[in-house]
DNA sequence: CTAGAAATGCAAATGATTCGCAATAAGGAG
DNA sequence: CTCCTTATTGCGAATCATTTGCATTTCTAG
């Protein structure tokens, strides 16, 4: 999904297009393969529009998350990482533990699981599958 | 794993057995099927040994996590939930989104995934599979 | 029983995230 | 283009789970 599509989606949902909002989206778009921290996104947004404020970044991420335009993971210490969603099709990711690079995993084990869960006293509603590792770039750099 | 085993593991690793530590472990053991919040664990520990302190709970959870005696999940808002690990065998859970009850899922899709990841520029090291839903008790109670 | 190390309690610090509120900017109607 | 309404922003202060420093207490090996 490119920048214009994103802006359209926002407009369609009654959100105004502000300079800050565009900067944040562009910063996200320029990192669409990587999960980034809010702090980092804030820095990148400021490079595009220097007056962008941290609260604004948070508020926009909240909106983008609600519209499912952004994907959020929590690190082990509970900090949020974000990236733009790349496609509407259900999928998972493998995430580089060092640099946050992601690749799509076009496989979902949920059907196998549904079978198993049939016998449990549970109604399955959601699932979260996250794979972690190192991308080759990070693997090859010594200090991992 | 029962209380005595847990105490042994701690001793074996050079940790002392204190009243508070035993209270926290007993509280965890009494809830071994449910994920509980630290706050909640704190309350339950105090019922067993009233002088137990919140910091102590946090410090002990940290130790238990390091020894892999406890399993930790983060809620959507980044708050930690804990439960004792039940077995050494690799497994996953289905988690009730309302009450935190868990059931073991004795299936891991990682072999299928390894096959898929072979072609990616990634070294897989970890994975996280969490299933969410409602246990029948919660499903049946109206206010969900 | 004692010494030394580990653990605890308390209160204060941290740090990511949220919030209140006044000021500003967007964009539709005229 | 200008006005008006409403959303959005910036700022600083508040939140809140978690962590930490330090003095005190408790373990436990010897």
């Amino acid at each position: 999904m490119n920048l214009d599509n994103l802006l359209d989606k926002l407009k369609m949902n009654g959100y105004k297009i502000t300079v800050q909002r565009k900067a944040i989206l562009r910063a996200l778009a320029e990192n669409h393969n990587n999960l980034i921290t809010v702090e980092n996104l804030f820095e990148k947004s400021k490079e595009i529009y220097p007056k962008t404020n941290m609260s604004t970044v948070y508020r926009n991420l909240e909106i983008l998350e609600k519209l499912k335009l952004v994907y959020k993971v929590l690190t082990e210490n509970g900090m949020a990482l974000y990236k733009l969603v790349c496609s509407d099709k259900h999928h998972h990711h493998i995430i580089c533990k060092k640099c946050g690079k992601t690749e799509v995993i076009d496989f979902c084990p949920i059907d196998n699981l549904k079978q198993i869960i049939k016998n449990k006293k549970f109604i399955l509603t959601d699932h979260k599958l996250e794979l972690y590792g190192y991308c080759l770039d990070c693997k090859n750099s010594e200090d991992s």
Side-chain angles (χ1 to χ4, degrees), chain A residues 49-106:
Chain A
Y49 182 68
K51 281 194 262 166
T52 308
N53 183 280
M54 190 61 150
S55 308
T56 303
V57 175
Y58 273 107
R59 283 191 272 238
N60 275 285
L61 284 172
E62 197 186 348
I63 291 169
L64 293 170
E65 202 189 346
K66 195 163 56 193
L67 297 181
K68 297 202 200 300
L69 296 177
V70 110
Y71 163 69
K72 178 187 187 179
V73 208
L74 293 178
T75 64
E76 283 172 47
N77 45 59
M79 217 176 53
L81 301 177
Y82 290 91
K83 83 186 265 311
L84 284 181
V85 300
C86 24
S87 81
D88 298 330
K89 190 163 171 297
H90 178 79
H91 66 271
H92 296 286
H93 293 100
I94 179 164
I95 300 163
C96 178
K97 297 212 280 185
K98 195 171 169 206
C99 74
K101 193 180 299 157
T102 64
E103 263 198 61
V104 169
I105 301 296
D106 212 342

Side-chain angles (χ1 to χ4, degrees), chain A residues 95-101 133-134 137-138 141-144:
Chain A
I95 300 163
C96 178
K97 297 212 280 185
K98 195 171 169 206
C99 74
K101 193 180 299 157
Y134 294 100
D137 295 343
C138 288
S141 76
E142 42 260 300
D143 60 310
S144 71

Side-chain angles (χ1 to χ4, degrees), chain A residues 1-19 21-22 25 60 63-64 67 69:
Chain A
M1 181 131 36
N2 65 49
L3 237 163
D4 288 332
N5 291 147
L6 290 167
L7 293 174
D8 284 347
K9 272 252 172 97
L10 283 167
K11 271 188 213 160
M12 272 168 42
N13 283 277
Y15 294 102
K16 293 177 177 172
I17 306 307
T18 64
V19 205
R21 189 158 284 170
K22 271 194 284 191
L25 282 172
N60 275 285
I63 291 169
L64 293 170
L67 297 181
L69 296 177

